[in-house]
Amino acid sequence: MYHLRGVVLPDGVERDLWIDDGRVHLHPPEGAEDARSLRGAFVVPGLVDAHCHPGIGPDGPTTLDEAAEQARRDRDAGTLLIRDCGVPLDIRDLQRRDDLPRIVRSGRHLALPKRYIPGLGLELDSPDHLPRAVADQAADGDGWVKLVGDWIDRSVGDLAPLWPDDVLAEAVAVAHEAGARVTAHVFGEDALPGLIAAGVDCLEHGTGLSTDLLAEMARRGTALVPTLINIENFPGIAAQAAKYPTYAAHMRALHAGVSDMVAAALDAGVAVHAGTDAGGMVAHGRIVDEIEALHAVGMSPDRALAAASWAAREWLGHTGIADGAPADLLVLDADPRADLSVLRRPTHLMLRGRLID
């Protein structure tokens, strides 16, 4: 059993916490007098990476052991809850491990042949097969389905949508009827109206979003995970796409406008959550970089932290710090709302009530 006293976020109230049998207690349980005292001044619910890929590496799909090591790196950076946002292997074994972050699985990316990174997604033979594939992924996952909304179409030399609007609407309805939510990868502008009108629950990246579309997202309650530290790779992607100059110029323009887009999303009232897109081009364990990037484009420190902690946890159906809640938390020696870099130096990291130091 552990005991600590500190300012608990987001409430900002100083209180005593006891950790016993993997859970938080706001009142001393039996045997509290023998609890081990922990040093710390601020207590934060475990961080969340809402767009993460344990199971994808720079060369494509990894082994399960490599995926476990990726998740461990995320954990050591304070990420105690992951939404996998699409992986090409079955990671249920990682979910069963007490030493790794909690994981919400989104199953496989749903794409079309030659319209996504080879080997990562399920490539459907026809767009008309999307509703059936969504039903299968909804049945197999943890309440999320991941679509590839747009990707380069080499026949036109630029980003283009993958799915007709009517098929999208049917597929999203199928997911919702099954109790699942739908998120979609999307970089450019053209796929966005159809995705939003179809009722997707979240957009990943969303670099092409306009003010009007952001207002519609806010009205519908559609969330955004902008993955800012991944968008930093757009100029490099463009530099390697000399064969497709229109696409390259488009990617550079989307990169140039992303800060204004996220600021506009915040002004519109869109729920923005933190995700690194770790796997592939982004190393695991960079959630604090993403939090700081969100702050740099206009989020207050408190709101940027919420986007990767208590607000994101609530969005994904997980509790923060409350009586009887799972003890997944960071203990800090200073207020992260005053200095986000404190998140890089936790005094204690606790997962399922166990210290990970």
Side-chain angles (χ1 to χ4, degrees):
M1 187 186 305
Y2 300 98
H3 169 252
L4 61 94
R5 182 172 180 81
V7 176
V8 178
L9 299 182
D11 295 342
V13 176
E14 185 174 13
R15 62 181 60 182
D16 290 284
L17 301 177
W18 288 265
I19 312 300
D20 186 38
D21 197 24
R23 297 195 172 271
V24 173
H25 299 269
L26 301 184
H27 305 284
E30 184 177 352
E33 63 277 6
D34 296 323
R36 173 186 167 187
S37 294
L38 299 179
R39 181 178 62 85
F42 289 83
V43 189
V44 179
L47 301 183
V48 179
D49 191 338
H51 187 133
C52 189
H53 301 285
I56 296 176
D59 299 319
T62 71
T63 66
L64 193 61
D65 286 344
E66 289 169 333
E69 178 57 32
Q70 291 172 332
R72 190 178 298 110
R73 286 199 292 272
D74 291 317
R75 179 205 69 188
D76 291 348
T79 295
L80 305 184
L81 176 62
I82 288 170
R83 182 181 61 148
D84 77 22
C85 221
V87 293
L89 64 157
D90 188 340
I91 57 172
R92 287 179 177 87
D93 282 349
L94 305 189
Q95 292 180 303
R96 300 183 185 106
R97 290 181 51 167
D98 290 343
D99 63 323
L100 297 180
R102 301 179 195 273
I103 300 175
V104 177
R105 292 183 302 109
S106 299
R108 299 286 300 274
H109 301 77
L110 297 178
L112 293 171
K114 299 182 180 179
R115 296 300 306 279
Y116 194 56
I117 302 169
L120 297 191
L122 291 176
E123 297 183 352
L124 310 184
D125 292 334
S126 165
D128 293 340
H129 296 172
L130 183 65
R132 179 69 258 172
V134 164
D136 291 343
Q137 292 300 302
D140 190 54
D142 295 334
W144 282 93
V145 178
K146 173 73 176 289
L147 310 181
V148 178
D150 72 357
W151 197 253
I152 185 171
D153 183 339
R154 289 165 178 79
S155 68
V156 300
D158 199 3
L159 295 166
L162 274 73
W163 318 104
D165 289 353
D166 59 337
V167 172
L168 272 176
E170 181 182 354
V172 173
V174 165
H176 289 170
E177 288 168 6
R181 291 185 278 183
V182 178
T183 194
H185 160 106
V186 58
F187 286 157
E189 299 85 356
D190 292 348
L192 286 165
L195 289 165
I196 295 169
V200 296
D201 302 277
C202 182
L203 294 175
E204 311 298 319
H205 321 298
T207 41
L209 283 163
S210 65
T211 301
D212 289 347
L213 289 175
L214 288 165
E216 180 64 8
M217 287 176 65
R219 187 185 74 80
R220 290 173 171 266
T222 311
L224 173 66
V225 181
T227 67
L228 291 172
I229 62 173
N230 184 40
I231 305 308
E232 293 172 3
N233 290 308
F234 278 20
I237 294 171
Q240 297 176 19
K243 187 177 178 180
Y244 303 100
T246 301
Y247 167 73
H250 197 178
M251 293 297 280
R252 291 188 182 98
L254 292 170
H255 173 264
V258 70
S259 295
D260 290 342
M261 183 278 291
V262 177
L266 298 174
D267 288 343
V270 173
V272 176
H273 301 294
T276 64
D277 206 357
M281 301 184 75
V282 177
H284 286 261
R286 294 190 59 192
I287 189 60
V288 180
D289 290 340
E290 185 67 19
I291 295 170
E292 291 178 339
L294 289 169
H295 174 47
V297 298
M299 273 192 171
S300 68
D302 183 75
R303 192 169 179 184
L305 179 55
S309 182
W310 53 87
R313 296 183 74 87
E314 181 180 5
W315 178 58
L316 293 175
H318 287 252
T319 53
I321 298 172
D323 197 39
D328 299 343
L329 50 88
L330 281 69
V331 183
L332 309 167
D333 60 8
D335 190 346
R337 299 168 300 179
D339 179 5
L340 289 170
S341 70
V342 172
L343 295 168
R344 300 184 186 277
R345 306 179 300 276
T347 304
H348 299 289
L349 186 62
M350 182 171 286
L351 175 63
R352 298 180 176 89
R354 299 177 181 179
L355 287 181
I356 299 174
D357 290 328

